Amino acid sequence: MFEIIQKGGILMYPIIALSVISLAVFLERLFTLRKSNFVPDTFLEKLSVYLEKKDFEDAKNLCELQKSPISEIAREILSNLDLPVTRLMELAEDVGRFQATKLDRFLPTLQTIGNIAPLLGLLGTVLGMIKTFIVISEQGVGNAQALAGGISEALLTTAAGLSVAIPTVIFYHIIRHRSEKLTIELEKATAKIINLIFKEG
């Protein structure tokens, strides 16, 4: 493995670093982006009981104890019940939008890695071909071993760049899909909270 990295040249090291970052971000996002972290069912059930009874004080206390994006949204709504309904809806949207930004954390990182990795591979290819042409200009085409060194460097960096970029793009779309699903869950839960607050009787 180390021999392959050496043959690929110096650009293999940043490509490997990008692969480690990509995998670390993907695993962290998989662990973090779970419904139980953003819209916990137990919290919603307890909150619904309080809101059904119009017990807004206990509902607010529950929100203080439970730290999650939906509890932050609920707490903000319950702290501003004196506002007109339209303004309260706008406030809920603003807070929800802010909480939703947590869902997109590190997505730009994956996108950047997906774009940079193949470019680094391409740069390695160009450098490898330059070395090959230098050998040809100095020694002719008779030195097969020297020619093979430049060509192998060109091919290895291309393969390494693509090997990082392809799974990173897949990681990006998996995380983005999960983020979008959680955004919908947050919107549904927020709508339910508002409906329960203003439900008659």
Side-chain angles (χ1 to χ4, degrees), residues 46 54 85 98 116 134 136 153 163 168 179:
K46 289 178 184 176
K54 305 300 179 191
V85 178
F98 173 74
I116 288 177
I134 289 172
I136 290 172
E153 180 176 329
S163 297
T168 299
S179 171

Side-chain angles (χ1 to χ4, degrees), residues 89-183:
M89 295 285 282
E90 288 173 6
L91 178 68
E93 283 180 17
D94 290 341
V95 180
R97 206 174 293 118
F98 173 74
Q99 293 297 329
T101 59
K102 296 176 183 178
L103 294 166
D104 294 334
R105 192 180 178 209
F106 296 132
L107 270 180
T109 304
L110 288 178
Q111 199 169 26
T112 302
I113 292 172
N115 291 331
I116 288 177
L119 292 177
L120 283 174
L122 181 60
L123 179 59
T125 301
V126 172
L127 294 176
M129 294 311 294
I130 289 171
K131 285 183 182 178
T132 302
F133 285 119
I134 289 172
V135 170
I136 290 172
S137 66
E138 290 178 351
Q139 304 176 25
V141 293
N143 191 340
Q145 189 174 356
L147 289 175
I151 293 169
S152 67
E153 180 176 329
L155 295 176
L156 282 169
T157 50
T158 301
L162 290 174
S163 297
V164 173
I166 291 168
T168 299
V169 170
I170 294 169
F171 293 165
Y172 171 82
H173 285 288
I174 290 171
I175 297 304
R176 187 175 177 184
H177 177 67
R178 186 172 285 206
S179 171
E180 287 171 353
K181 279 180 67 177
L182 283 174
T183 300

